[in-house]
């Protein structure tokens, strides 16, 4: 089973991914984490993407596409991936379908966490104190939310058309969201 978890910054994608990883024995593929690792390890790619990430914009489809192929092609993760923060554009969604097809896999469910800008601001403010992410200032968080609003609609439509999309109320408490997501995943497991 492969899952896509989708939603604006601060929606709880990372938190819910970790819950799903534990409960359903999947592997989390967070493009945000992979990109932050590149920066932390001071790689050439890291220096190229640093300013993009800290402006709240998206990194190019090609860069993230290259990063995920390593993961998808790994037999240990076959049909056991939760895509956290990928895809974020229509091109990425189509690329992901092609890539999964190449490795004889598919997406089984897309979970969209819905939250308001007010909630995003509040959660990012709280996270900033703990994680110290350089892109978690209020100003950049708002920019990231706007970037999400701009690029997400075609992705949502794409998954609606393929009947994979399930919308989850991301405003609820963590245990409530956990159980809603579990129920949805159980239905597709049959
Ligand atoms: P995240 O940790 O998912 O909030 O991602 C942090 C930042 O990494 C985003 O604001 C983007 O700049 C970049 N990023 C993460 N995933 C993607 C993606 N799928 N496509 C483009 N940029 C991404």
């Amino acid at each position: 089973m492969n899952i896509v978890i989708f939603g604006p910054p601060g929606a709880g994608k990372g938190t819910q991914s970790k819950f799903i990883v534990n409960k359903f024995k999947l592997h989390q593929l967070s493009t945000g984490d992979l990109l932050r690792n590149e920066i932390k390890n001071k790689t050439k790619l890291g220096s190229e993407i640093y300013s993009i990430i800290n402006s709240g914009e998206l990194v190019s489809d090609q860069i993230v596409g290259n990063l995920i192929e390593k993961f998808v092609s790994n037999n240990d993760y076959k049909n056991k991936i939760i895509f956290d923060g990928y895809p974020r554009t229509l091109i990425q969604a189509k690329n992901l379908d092609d890539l999964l097809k190449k490795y004889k896999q598919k997406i089984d469910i897309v979970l969209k966490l819905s939250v308001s800008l007010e909630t995003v601001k509040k959660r990012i403010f709280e996270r900033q104190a703990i994680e110290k992410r350089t892109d978690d200032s209020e100003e950049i968080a708002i920019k990231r939310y706007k970037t999400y609003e701009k690029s997400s609609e075609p992705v949502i439509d794409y998954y609606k058309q393929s009947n994979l999309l399930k919308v989850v109320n991301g405003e609820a408490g963590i245990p409530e969201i956990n159980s809603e997501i579990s129920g949805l995943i159980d239905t597709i497991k049959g």
Side-chain angles (χ1 to χ4, degrees), residues 30-49:
S30 157
T31 42
D33 283 350
L34 292 178
L35 294 167
R36 277 185 290 278
N37 269 342
E38 296 287 330
I39 295 174
K40 204 172 97 196
N41 296 331
K42 298 195 166 32
T43 64
K44 186 165 168 283
L45 177 60
S47 67
E48 281 166 31
I49 60 178

Side-chain angles (χ1 to χ4, degrees), residues 1 4 8 12 16 22 42-43 62 64 74 114 121 123-124 136 144 148 151 154 156 158 174:
M1 173 173 53
V4 168
Q16 293 303 325
N22 287 331
K42 298 195 166 32
T43 64
Q62 203 191 339
V64 278
N74 186 330
S114 285
K121 282 201 242 172
R123 290 196 186 154
I124 286 185
D136 266 354
R144 285 160 60 213
Y148 169 82
S151 57
I156 293 165
Y158 184 72
I174 292 175

Side-chain angles (χ1 to χ4, degrees), residues 7-10 13-14 30-36 49-61 63-65 68 84-89 92 124 127 133 135-136 140 144 147:
K13 298 187 296 290
S30 157
T31 42
D33 283 350
L34 292 178
L35 294 167
R36 277 185 290 278
I49 60 178
Y50 180 79
S51 57
I52 304 173
I53 290 195
N54 287 307
S55 66
E57 300 280 352
L58 293 180
V59 170
S60 79
D61 293 328
I63 288 177
V64 278
I68 68 158
D84 164 9
Y86 189 94
R88 268 173 152 97
T89 65
Q92 290 180 18
I124 286 185
R127 182 166 75 187
R133 271 174 59 165
D135 61 347
D136 266 354
I140 302 171
R144 285 160 60 213
T147 302

